[in-house]
């Protein structure tokens, strides 16, 4: 068991190595994942360790990658595919929505679809167009899929291992902005994290701050700022977007009475809307102020000169929290 | 546009059942001929029954196989049990030969997922029929990749119609099958019509088989109404794929004698003269004429076979009609391997809704 500092990217790489070592049915496939080790190097070393039969450089065709994974999974392999950027996933959607998510249901459990689709997500790395999307809500709307977004090396490691174990298809989205940020101590001990629980990162009394993915980083800073002003913030990393652990969120909001939801995806029909609606259904009378959402506007991620405006900042989060705290 | 590639085209029997080429030895084996003939007749009788069941409201929309029986029967006769079929939605003939029960096919079109559960272990790994056009071609490549990764000498066989060859999925499947030399056989059931769009405006290439050439492997045409030609070429294709020599594309030239589905009316877009002409080439009469010329068939045997097949179809209809309604729970039972605790509320919602409807129906 090794123990050293690892970035989120290195944590993913460690989890992939471990999953492939533990289960020979796990295969990795995608564009440039083999010899090149992935454009972000998430799959570096896999090909050397596990060979070209299990670490597969595919032709450049996203529809094919997802379709192939459906066929492999029906044969009992566990494909872990990489879509190079989330903005290129649309070509794969038909296989995810019409087949991967339904094969078990369609065949009454005769054929399953245990697979993981990994893809980098989010803005903030000065990338070209289509490299900065946050479209988790598209997948969260599809019955049969699970959607997971880690926000720390340890959660990336434990959640990815759990996603690969899971008998159902998991969309595993990796915030590129966090890939190399803040390496942390990581125990490569194979320990899985649950796929249907939120993570309370910081306990507090005055306000519940709910987020996931890269925005957790800004939320942590906002919570620090607010703490300096004497505000006690409870910060929850949703991490598993679908299914959603509403019980944890509800309990926190009942305790604090105030809630701000932060996500990098556009506002309308974002996962924040689902969470807010559910909290109103469950805890309306415990709320002391309307829930606020801090999100991207309903625009495509701008090219990088303006992408800073797209991403919710610490200032936006602090302002929203202040408004909720000051409400009546 | 002329076929400048001169791809092979195979026909052994003409529409009157007369040999037009030297026949392989198996082509006069009475047992094999009877098996092929019987399955084609069974498929057609089942098909007629399924359409009748739709017309009387006992099943939903159904996609008839009428006119294409030979293609499925040739595939079904040759695939090994350990091979995997990845069908489209007009594959009654091959599915039944593989081990899918006719009552399961009725159950599927009769609105019940249990129709794709396939109780026979022989088809445990076969795919259910696939509605989104051409997507199954990629699933077959995934299955074939698994065979290759595990070093198994098995073949994935996938079928599609002529319209499907226009889709990106089909072309991406050919591409990866060629790039990786996968053990997969693509059977294009060119029945000339993709609902209302005829073959000639579906694609500018003179053959659909030549799409394989661009992917780096063999493509050929075969008379899709000549079960002996289909048997010969399918045998060669499976042999080739099984022994690691790569994929094959068989374009089977046939004709969709029926409507696209029971929800379609083909008289809106094609002439009765064309359909009448196509009936002259249909596969069952052709094999029947050949068998008669071999002294293997007569009216008495024909009547006995029809009676036997009809009884088999009737048995399937009875088994289908004996299936009780699924419980409400069945709607969510298999969405996930285990219904997530986080969604427990929705399970309760569904249960309550079912209960309310049940009570309302008793009032």
């Amino acid at each position: 068991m090794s123990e050293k500092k690892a970035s989120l990217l290195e944590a993913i790489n460690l989890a992939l190595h471990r999953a492939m070592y533990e289960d020979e049915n796990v295969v990795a496939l995608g564009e440039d994942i083999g010899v090149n080790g992935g454009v972000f190097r998430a799959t570096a070393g896999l090909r050397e360790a596990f060979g070209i039969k299990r670490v597969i450089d595919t032709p450049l065709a996203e529809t094919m990658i997802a379709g192939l994974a459906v066929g492999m999974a029906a044969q009992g392999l566990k494909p872990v595919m990489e879509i190079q950027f989330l903005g290129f996933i649309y070509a794969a959607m038909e296989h995810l929505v019409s087949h991967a998510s339904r094969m078990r249901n369609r065949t009454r459990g005769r054929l399953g679809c245990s697979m993981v689709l990994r893809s980098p997500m989010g803005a903030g790395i000065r990338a070209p167009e289509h490299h900065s999307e946050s479209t988790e809500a598209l997948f969260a709307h599809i019955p049969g899929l699970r959607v997971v977004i880690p926000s720390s090396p340890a959660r990336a490691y434990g959640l990815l291992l759990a996603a690969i174990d899971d008998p159902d298809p998991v969309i595993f989205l990796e915030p590129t902005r966090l890939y190399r940020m803040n390496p942390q101590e990581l125990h490569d001990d194979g320990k899985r994290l649950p796929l249907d629980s939120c993570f309370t990162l910081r306990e507090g009394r005055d306000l519940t701050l709910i987020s996931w993915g890269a925005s957790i980083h800004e939320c942590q800073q906002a919570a620090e700022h607010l703490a300096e002003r004497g505000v006690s913030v409870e910060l929850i990393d949703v991490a598993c977007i679908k299914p959603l652990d509403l019980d944890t969120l509800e309990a926190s909001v009942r305790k604090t009475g105030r809630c701000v939801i932060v996500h990098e995806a556009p506002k309308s029909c974002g996962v924040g809307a689902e969470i807010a609606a559910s909290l109103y259904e469950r805890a309306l009378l415990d709320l002391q102020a309307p829930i606020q959402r801090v999100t991207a506007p309903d625009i495509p991620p701008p090219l990088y000169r303006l992408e800073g405006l797209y991403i919710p900042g610490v200032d936006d989060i602090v302002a929203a929290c202040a408004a909720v705290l000051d409400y009546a | 546009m002329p076929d400048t590639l001169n791809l092979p085209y195979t026909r052994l029997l003409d529409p009157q059942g007369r040999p037009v080429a030297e026949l392989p030895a198996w082509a006069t084996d009475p047992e094999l001929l009877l098996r092929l003939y019987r399955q084609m007749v069974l498929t057609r009788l089942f098909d007629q029954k399924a359409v009748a069941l739709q017309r009387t409201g006992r099943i939903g929309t159904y996609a008839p196989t009428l006119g294409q029986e030979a293609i499925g029967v040739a595939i079904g006769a040759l695939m090994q049990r350990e091979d995997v079929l990845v069908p489209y939605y007009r594959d009654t003939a091959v599915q039944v030969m593989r081990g899918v029960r006719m009552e399961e096919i009725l159950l599927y079109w009769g609105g019940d997922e249990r129709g794709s559960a396939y109780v026979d272990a022989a088809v445990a790994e076969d795919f259910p029929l696939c509605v989104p056009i051409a997507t199954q071609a990629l699933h077959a490549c995934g299955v074939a990749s698994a065979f290759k990764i595990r070093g198994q000498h098995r073949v994935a066989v996938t079928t599609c119609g002529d319209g499907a060859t226009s889709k990106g999925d089909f072309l991406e499947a050919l591409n990866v099958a060629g790039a990786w030399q996968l053990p997969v056989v693509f059977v294009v059931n060119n029945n000339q019509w993709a609902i209302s769009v005829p073959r000639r405006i579906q694609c500018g290439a003179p053959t659909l088989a030549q799409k394989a050439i661009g992917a780096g492997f063999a493509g050929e045409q075969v008379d899709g109404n000549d079960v002996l030609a289909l048997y010969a070429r399918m045998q060669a294709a499976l042999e080739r794929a099984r022994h690691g020599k790569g994929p094959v594309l068989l374009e089977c030239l046939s004709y969709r004698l029926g409507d696209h589905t029971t929800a379609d009316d083909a008289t809106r877009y094609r002439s009765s003269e064309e359909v009448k002409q196509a009936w002259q080439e249909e596969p069952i009469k052709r094999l029947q004429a050949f068998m008669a010329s071999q002294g293997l068939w007569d009216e008495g045997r024909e009547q006995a076979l029809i009676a036997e097949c009809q009884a088999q179809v009737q048995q399937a209809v009875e088994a289908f009609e004996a299936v009780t309604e699924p419980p409400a729970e069945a709607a969510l039972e298999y969405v996930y391997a285990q219904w997530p605790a986080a969604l427990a509320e929705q399970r309760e919602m569904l249960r309550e809704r079912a209960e309310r409807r049940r009570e309302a129906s008793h009032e």
Side-chain angles (χ1 to χ4, degrees):
Chain A
M1 193 194 303
S2 64
E3 192 174 328
K4 59 167 189 141
K5 284 205 165 187
S7 64
L8 192 148
L9 192 60
E10 289 163 338
I12 284 163
N13 186 262
L14 283 172
L16 289 171
H17 272 92
R18 179 169 283 269
M20 295 197 74
Y21 174 76
E22 286 180 354
D23 183 354
E24 63 174 15
N25 287 318
V26 177
V27 296
L29 68 157
E31 296 156 7
D32 309 298
I33 68 152
V35 180
N36 194 36
V39 292
F40 284 102
R41 310 288 173 262
T43 54
L46 289 178
R47 183 181 146 109
E48 292 76 4
F50 302 104
I52 56 169
K53 281 193 166 180
R54 292 180 61 203
V55 184
I56 306 163
D57 276 322
T58 66
L60 205 168
E62 287 79 11
T63 306
M64 180 219 68
I65 294 171
L68 225 53
V70 170
M72 289 175 164
Q75 277 295 307
L77 292 178
K78 290 187 164 206
V80 180
M81 51 181 154
E82 179 176 297
I83 295 291
Q84 210 158 68
F85 286 91
L86 198 49
F88 304 143
I89 206 165
Y90 309 110
M93 285 302 261
E94 185 170 26
H95 287 277
L96 301 176
V97 175
S98 297
H99 295 300
S101 71
R102 294 173 183 227
M103 196 56 81
R104 179 184 303 284
N105 184 63
R106 179 181 294 149
T107 61
R108 304 284 84 186
R110 185 172 60 84
L111 300 177
C113 199
S114 181
M115 60 153 72
V116 175
L117 184 147
R118 296 180 37 250
S119 185
M121 77 176 298
I125 58 164
R126 296 166 67 89
E129 196 184 357
H130 309 295
H131 291 63
S132 306
E133 326 294 296
S134 293
T135 48
E136 65 272 23
L138 294 182
F139 308 102
H141 197 62
I142 305 304
L145 296 181
R146 288 178 181 274
V147 183
V148 177
I149 306 177
S151 69
S152 77
R155 287 191 290 284
Y157 178 84
L159 289 170
L160 182 53
L161 283 172
I164 295 170
D165 284 349
D166 195 84
D168 294 310
V170 181
I171 309 297
F172 192 88
L173 305 178
E174 304 164 359
T176 47
R177 198 147 54 86
L178 303 186
Y179 261 161
R180 297 188 170 86
M181 197 186 272
N182 301 337
Q184 293 170 0
E185 295 284 323
L186 187 80
H187 306 273
D188 182 11
D189 54 6
K191 210 173 153 203
R192 275 69 170 162
L193 290 170
L195 286 185
D196 49 8
S197 293
C198 297
F199 297 88
T200 302
L201 303 185
R202 182 182 179 116
E203 295 197 3
R205 299 177 309 275
D206 301 330
L207 180 141
T208 301
L209 190 53
I210 297 171
S211 189
W212 55 90
S215 289
I216 288 289
H217 180 66
E218 282 76 29
C219 286
Q220 276 165 327
Q221 293 177 52
E224 289 293 334
H225 275 279
L226 290 160
E228 284 165 20
R229 297 193 208 162
V231 178
S232 167
V233 170
E234 181 141 301
L235 174 60
I236 301 179
D237 176 8
V238 173
C240 299
I241 305 296
K242 174 77 176 281
L244 200 52
D245 172 18
L246 286 167
D247 291 347
T248 299
L249 302 178
E250 178 191 345
S252 175
V253 167
R254 281 188 187 281
K255 178 175 71 174
T256 64
R258 297 173 199 270
C259 177
V260 172
I261 303 166
V262 184
H263 60 67
E264 192 176 302
K267 187 167 191 174
S268 299
C269 303
V271 175
E274 174 65 30
I275 293 174
S278 300
L279 291 175
Y280 282 125
E281 282 176 348
R282 290 168 169 232
L284 179 68
L285 297 181
D286 288 294
L287 286 165
Q288 291 165 45
I291 296 169
Q292 292 288 309
R293 285 178 284 161
V294 183
T295 70
D298 288 1
I299 58 173
L303 294 182
Y304 68 80
R305 290 187 181 203
L306 289 180
E307 78 175 336
L309 284 177
Y310 183 81
I311 301 169
V314 178
D315 52 342
D316 303 315
I317 300 167
V318 169
C321 290
V324 167
L325 289 162
D326 291 344
Y327 184 85
Chain B
M1 193 177 164
D3 176 10
T4 50
L5 293 167
N6 290 316
L7 294 185
Y9 170 79
T10 306
R11 166 183 271 186
L12 297 179
L13 299 178
D14 73 7
Q16 287 72 44
R18 294 173 301 216
V20 291
E22 198 185 329
L23 296 181
W26 51 256
T28 48
D29 171 5
E31 206 176 313
L32 175 65
L33 293 176
L34 180 60
R35 181 168 178 235
L36 299 173
Y37 186 70
R38 186 186 187 288
Q39 286 302 134
M40 289 202 287
V41 169
L42 178 66
T43 302
R44 185 161 297 180
L45 291 172
F46 173 82
D47 213 51
Q48 284 169 359
K49 188 71 190 178
V51 171
L53 290 173
Q54 189 280 330
R55 299 294 185 226
T56 51
R58 286 141 83 194
I59 65 171
T61 300
Y62 174 76
T65 302
L66 186 61
Q68 307 171 190
E69 295 88 350
I71 300 166
V73 166
I75 301 169
L78 285 158
M79 281 179 74
Q80 302 289 309
R81 181 184 160 117
E82 69 269 20
D83 296 338
V84 167
L85 176 71
V86 189
Y88 77 135
Y89 50 76
R90 210 183 294 285
D91 274 320
T92 304
V94 58
Q95 285 199 299
V96 169
M97 287 186 84
R98 294 279 298 156
V100 175
R101 297 183 177 174
M102 288 186 288
E103 57 264 38
E104 290 177 319
I105 295 174
L106 293 174
L107 205 50
Y108 174 80
W109 296 104
D112 193 322
E113 283 86 356
R114 285 174 290 183
S116 298
Y118 305 161
V119 295
D120 192 329
V123 282
E125 295 177 44
D126 279 10
F127 269 58
L129 50 75
C130 182
V131 178
I133 303 299
T135 52
Q136 73 278 9
L138 284 168
H139 304 160
C141 291
V143 169
S145 300
F147 295 160
K148 195 159 181 173
I149 288 167
R150 290 169 167 162
Q152 298 168 333
H153 295 285
R154 303 166 72 186
V155 182
V157 177
T158 187
T159 57
C160 66
D162 41 302
T165 65
S166 299
K167 268 197 75 174
D169 287 68
F170 181 76
L171 299 166
E172 290 190 20
L174 295 189
N175 184 66
V176 72
W180 294 351
Q181 291 294 292
L182 293 175
V184 59
V185 176
F186 299 94
V187 179
V188 176
N189 187 332
N190 178 357
N191 65 22
Q192 312 301 328
W193 291 91
I195 305 190
S196 66
V197 176
R199 160 63 186 90
R200 74 187 144 75
I201 57 172
Q202 193 65 243
C203 173
T207 73
L208 300 176
Q210 71 195 76
K211 298 195 181 201
I213 308 304
F217 63 90
E220 56 179 290
Q221 290 186 306
V222 57
D223 185 335
N225 295 329
D226 175 358
V227 74
L228 299 186
L230 287 161
Y231 191 92
R233 297 320 301 155
M234 190 66 202
Q235 193 171 42
L238 282 166
E239 186 79 1
R240 184 186 161 94
R242 195 178 312 284
H243 293 104
K245 293 177 183 160
V248 179
L249 191 167
L250 286 186
E251 178 189 358
C252 309
L253 297 160
S254 183
Y255 192 87
R256 197 192 77 212
L257 291 171
D259 295 326
H260 164 67
T261 66
T262 50
D264 175 45
D265 172 10
T267 63
R268 289 164 59 90
Y269 49 79
R270 64 185 189 188
S271 70
S272 56
E273 290 74 44
E274 181 185 304
V275 180
K276 204 170 147 196
Q277 178 56 39
W279 269 103
Q280 304 302 310
E281 312 230 342
E282 68 95 3
I284 295 185
K285 279 222 176 61
R286 190 181 304 204
L287 183 60
Q288 189 193 68
F290 175 68
M291 286 166 71
S293 76
Q294 301 285 301
L296 297 170
W297 207 243
D298 55 40
E299 190 53 29
R301 282 186 259 201
E302 176 75 7
Q303 289 314 318
L305 177 68
I306 287 176
E308 183 196 322
C309 289
Q310 258 164 352
Q312 202 181 334
V313 170
Q314 190 50 38
Q315 228 172 25
V317 172
E318 282 162 22
F320 158 67
E321 293 193 322
V323 176
T324 52
E325 286 290 298
E329 183 78 359
L332 53 70
E333 202 178 352
Y334 294 105
V335 176
Y336 294 91
Q338 195 170 13
W339 185 252
L343 300 176
E345 216 174 54
Q346 297 186 25
R347 168 179 243 155
E348 190 55 21
M349 176 189 80
L350 185 74
R351 201 192 57 75
E352 282 171 10
R353 181 177 293 175
E355 183 65 18
R356 216 166 35 242
R357 303 268 166 92
R358 202 181 59 79
E359 280 167 11
S361 73
H362 285 299
E363 274 166 17

